Amino acid sequence: MSGVMKRMGMIFRAKANKALDRAEDPRETLDYSYQKQLELLQKVRRGVADVATSRKRLELQLAQLNKQSSTLEDQGRKALALGREDLAREALSRRAALQQQVTDLETQHATLQGEEEKLTLAAQRLQAKVDAFRTKKETIKATYTAAQAQTRIGEAFSGISEEMGDVGLAIQRAEDKTAQLQARAGAIDELLASGALDDPSGMHKDDIQAELDRLSGGTDVELELQRMKQELAGGPAADQQAIEGGTSQSQQQDRQQSQDTPRFDKQ
Amino acid sequence: MIVRIMGEGQVRLADGHLTELNKLDDELLAEMENGDGPAFRRTLQALLTRVRDLGDPLPDDSLEPSELILPSPDATLEEVRDFLSDDGLIPG
């Protein structure tokens, strides 16, 4: 065992492929065995047919011999009726010889018939066995195919789970990245809030600026209040106007009056 | 023979290329066992490149048992070591 890819392959195969022996496909073996059985069955059947043919031939021979025998018997009877005893004797002796042959053939015929019956029975038994084997073979093949499919699924699953591992890693990375981004966003918020970072969007005000704004806003209000008070009191605001205008107190008052009255009256 | 590159897919390789790839593969194993991370990475990339160059990629929908399996291109030495440990990354 050496090499990374071989070892990884072996580990995956061991996991996914325990049941399967690649060296030999049992389905092929079963089919071959079935074929052999069929051949044997065929041989037996051919044997049965041969025996049956022999039996038929014997039967034909027997029929012929029986016919000859009865002919000779008739001839013997006729010869005796004609007073030819010598001829009748000859016919009867030939018939006796034929009868011997018939007996022999009948024995052979009986033997063949017995043989044929045995062979027929054997062929029937073999046929039943071959049929049973075929059923079993198909069952085994189906089971094997299912097991193989399962193994393939197993391997595909290993393949998938390895991809899933990648997906898992990708998700992990995405989660890490999200967490990192969230952490960073939090940190940026804090930094912006503390004023350590400038916010280019202008959306964000740090607390110092907010305080400054609040303070300056307050100052404006205070200044405004002060100015209004001085105006009412004819204080520095009025003085300022006098200096600017370069006019006297009375002129100022006149101007205020003229401002109260419509201009066209004065003109 | 069929070689799977994890996370990538399968390629069909002529058996004749095996000698060359075996050399890289043995190198890779040695580097993994020595814990030489950078060398492991280089050799893994070289091996994957050779496998991709020499092999014909199998269509994604084909279902063929892999005879050899290679770690994904971004696999680390530690990950591969885990793979080759008794339990492997896939339990059971």
Side-chain angles (χ1 to χ4, degrees):
Chain A
M1 184 161 73
S2 70
V4 170
M5 56 179 176
K6 256 181 226 146
R7 280 173 64 174
M8 282 180 66
M10 282 171 103
I11 285 162
F12 271 99
R13 261 209 307 288
K15 283 179 195 304
N17 205 14
K18 264 179 198 158
L20 206 67
D21 179 18
R22 276 173 205 290
E24 185 186 59
D25 191 334
R27 290 171 300 185
E28 281 173 22
T29 316
L30 286 170
D31 282 340
Y32 179 73
S33 175
Y34 178 62
Q35 209 176 329
K36 284 278 156 205
Q37 287 185 26
L38 280 181
E39 278 171 22
L40 183 66
L41 184 61
Q42 226 161 14
K43 268 185 198 163
V44 171
R45 277 186 182 150
R46 211 174 289 140
V48 173
D50 287 350
V51 170
T53 311
S54 302
R55 176 176 54 81
K56 277 257 164 68
R57 204 178 292 139
L58 277 182
E59 281 169 5
L60 284 172
Q61 265 182 298
L62 274 170
Q64 214 174 352
L65 285 177
N66 280 327
K67 204 175 142 193
Q68 280 179 18
S69 174
S70 54
T71 308
L72 283 171
E73 202 185 332
D74 281 352
Q75 285 174 345
R77 203 172 284 131
K78 274 178 192 167
L80 208 58
L82 289 172
R84 290 285 303 268
E85 206 186 312
D86 58 328
L87 268 178
R89 199 179 300 272
E90 177 60 28
L92 285 177
S93 69
R94 281 192 193 176
R95 186 182 170 263
L98 279 179
Q99 275 311 112
Q100 186 57 47
Q101 275 192 55
V102 166
T103 315
D104 286 353
L105 283 180
E106 272 174 346
T107 316
Q108 273 191 49
H109 181 257
T111 315
L112 270 181
Q113 211 160 23
E115 204 70 29
E116 193 187 336
E117 275 166 20
K118 267 195 234 162
L119 277 173
T120 309
L121 204 68
Q124 280 170 355
R125 282 206 195 120
L126 192 57
Q127 174 76 62
K129 271 190 183 171
V130 171
D131 284 349
F133 182 79
R134 195 193 59 211
T135 312
K136 200 172 179 186
K137 168 184 81 94
E138 291 309 320
T139 313
I140 292 171
K141 272 170 75 176
T143 313
Y144 180 82
T145 308
Q148 200 180 35
Q150 231 164 358
T151 311
R152 280 199 185 137
I153 290 165
E155 211 217 340
F157 181 72
S158 309
I160 289 164
S161 47
E162 103 203 1
E163 316 290 343
M164 288 302 274
D166 292 349
V167 171
L169 271 178
I171 289 171
Q172 181 79 52
R173 280 191 203 116
E175 279 175 353
D176 285 354
K177 193 145 193 176
T178 309
Q180 202 182 1
L181 280 173
Q182 280 171 343
R184 203 166 152 228
I188 286 171
D189 279 348
E190 272 176 37
L191 286 171
L192 283 170
S194 71
L197 264 184
D198 287 332
D199 180 13
S201 68
M203 294 291 285
H204 216 286
K205 280 187 176 170
D206 62 73
D207 49 358
I208 296 170
Q209 186 58 47
E211 181 64 15
L212 279 174
D213 286 351
R214 197 176 59 74
L215 282 174
S216 63
T219 315
D220 287 348
V221 170
E222 290 301 316
L223 282 170
E224 194 78 9
L225 263 174
Q226 193 109 18
R227 200 171 56 79
M228 282 178 159
K229 277 181 189 165
Q230 280 170 347
E231 260 179 30
L232 283 169
D239 278 349
Q240 203 175 4
Q241 246 181 344
I243 293 159
E244 275 170 9
T247 51
S248 66
Q249 185 79 25
S250 60
Q251 275 176 320
Q252 176 72 26
Q253 257 166 352
D254 285 344
R255 194 190 270 182
Q256 274 179 333
Q257 270 179 343
S258 67
Q259 276 174 348
D260 289 338
T261 51
R263 289 206 168 196
F264 55 84
D265 273 4
K266 188 164 186 208
Q267 285 170 338
Chain B
M1 66 171 49
I2 309 291
V3 182
R4 174 184 284 278
I5 300 176
M6 286 174 67
E8 235 177 62
Q10 290 175 303
V11 296
R12 191 186 295 281
L13 267 176
D15 289 2
H17 299 310
L18 214 60
T19 320
E20 185 198 339
L21 294 172
N22 260 338
K23 231 177 272 174
L24 281 168
D25 194 29
D26 289 339
E27 239 178 86
L28 190 68
L29 185 70
E31 282 153 358
M32 192 199 73
E33 278 165 357
N34 295 336
D36 189 347
F40 175 87
R41 181 132 299 280
R42 271 201 305 278
T43 311
L44 178 60
Q45 296 311 324
L47 180 55
L48 291 175
T49 309
R50 276 318 272 159
V51 169
R52 287 189 204 112
D53 287 348
L54 296 170
D56 296 315
L58 255 70
D60 285 341
D61 56 355
S62 76
L63 193 62
E64 295 247 28
S66 316
E67 284 164 270
L68 299 173
I69 296 178
L70 272 165
S72 56
D74 59 352
T76 64
L77 192 150
E78 285 76 18
E79 276 167 7
V80 175
R81 194 177 279 160
D82 279 349
F83 250 118
L84 296 183
S85 72
D86 283 338
D87 286 337
L89 285 181
I90 302 157

